[in-house]
Amino acid sequence: MKIYDTLTAEKREFIPLHEGRVGMYVCGPTTYDYAHIGHARPAIIFDMLRRFFEYKGYDVVLISNITDVDDKIINRAKEKDAEPIEMAHYYAREYLKDMDALRVRRANIIPKATRHIEEIIELVKTLVNKGYAYESGGDVYFSVEKFRDYGKLSHRKPEEMLAGARVEVSDKKRNPLDFALWKAAKPGEPSWMSPWGPGRPGWHIECSAMSMNYLGPTLDIHGGGADLIFPHHENEIAQSEAASGKVFARYWMHVGLVRFEEEKMSKSIGNVFLIRDLLKKYPPEAVRIMYINAHYRKPFDFSEKNLEDSRKLMEKIWSVYLSLKKSARCGVATDNTKNLVDKTRKEIITALEDDFNTREAIRHYLEFINKVRDAKDEDAFLAIEFLEEMDYIFDILPRGTTENLEENLIKLLLRIRERARKNKDFGTADWIREELKKLGIKVEDTKDGPRWVKL
RNA sequence: GGGCAGGUGGCAGAGAGGUUAUGCGCGGGACUGCAGAUCCCGUCUACUCGGGUUCGAAUCCCGACCUGCCCUCCA
């Protein structure tokens, strides 16, 4: 397995710290609003990566945090006249609901910053004691010049950063690039007691504290959106490695940003599509397919047309899958199909092992779909088995069990409709089809009778 | 100003020195009460530009132009 590592800027063979195990940490959102499809991309990609490791037999521990105390949260809460932490927790729950809807499996641990204040304070203390950090007016700052490797992840030198950039100037900082590990609380802000007075953690420190707490000083894969490379991940490296003296993450993976009309999708620009709104119109599997169908490191141009195309792809996959199900019979498949399955499996795994190239993988998947669409009996059975095997990773097939009653009622309606059609009562026939469509059930007439798909 | 990705057919988007990407769309046919789906056939000199390397480049090298992201909160 090769993984593109942002730090070394090349694809490298993936070798976990402990054989057979993978420790992953993925930066989750700061929850001060509902999640948009930009958030869904890393969540879906890392979810599938985790499933792929498991598929290959690794034990995976995935930690994905939620930032529940931060300037943005405090400001938003002020606007809404809400209690900041409470509000953050509300949006955190809603975030998880949205991700559940997208079939993103939950991380093993979803830590929150406010639940790890002690570890954070300990880490800051260590950095102060080691001389990497200093207290200044109730704040604690990390001293960038003390960490000689600062800039290695984002491939920048500290001098260059100052050149054309706007850096927040503060007379509390010794160097404008220094960043806050601990912030003194202003009146009315959430705060915790610390050796430097009441305050709260800086943005970057929580991830260092929590990842080292759960995965040890060195983790295998650290991931997140590409916008986190600088300053967030750069600062995490500085803090963590300064404190532990060890390599913080062996591989850094960054998912390309989602854009809309050539611009980054971002709350501050206002061009966001909320996941909950999109899911009213499109099935979650279509969203997954949309992201599978693009290389994870490239920026992704979102549009409804794009989602619509993905939905069509999904319908194609589903319709082949469902028709295979109808003609499948348990037994031994022909060599032809066996070979096709083995070949496709190999192609898909090879693609995913090449820096998780889901785009290439789905191409082979679709070629397979096209070739087996007419398979019968034992061949259909094997094809289904294979698609379901792959679904451990992709999770895009229709969810199996419709409630029996529901299913029987639909069949009953379709029989009524068939009777109407036979009597040339097309008004009634079309009306039933229309009404079912409104309920999310698509009906298609085929030579073998009506077929329906629940969207 | 600096760092990093890219520029592929009507559109979306892979690939990566010589072999069909794929999907959508579009045209024709089969099927059909209609719609849809499906099948068959077809569709567009596709690879930003200019040089170079090579028997051969969309794919490698040099240069130019263009776009986006990051350098400030952001998945």
Side-chain angles (χ1 to χ4, degrees), chain A residues 391-411:
Chain A
D391 220 41
Y392 185 80
I393 303 166
F394 300 126
D395 205 351
I396 50 178
L397 293 178
R399 280 278 156 90
T401 51
T402 317
E403 284 302 315
N404 251 338
L405 177 63
E406 184 183 310
E407 195 165 333
N408 289 335
L409 286 172
I410 291 167
K411 282 182 182 160

Side-chain angles (χ1 to χ4, degrees), chain A residues 2 8 21 104 171 175 207 241 265 278 296-297 330 353 366 377 397:
Chain A
K2 283 204 164 85
T8 56
R21 288 198 277 168
V104 171
D171 39 357
N175 178 323
C207 288
E241 300 194 347
M265 186 169 299
L278 287 170
Y296 82 88
R297 277 192 281 126
C330 188
E353 284 183 337
L366 292 170
D377 305 330
L397 293 178

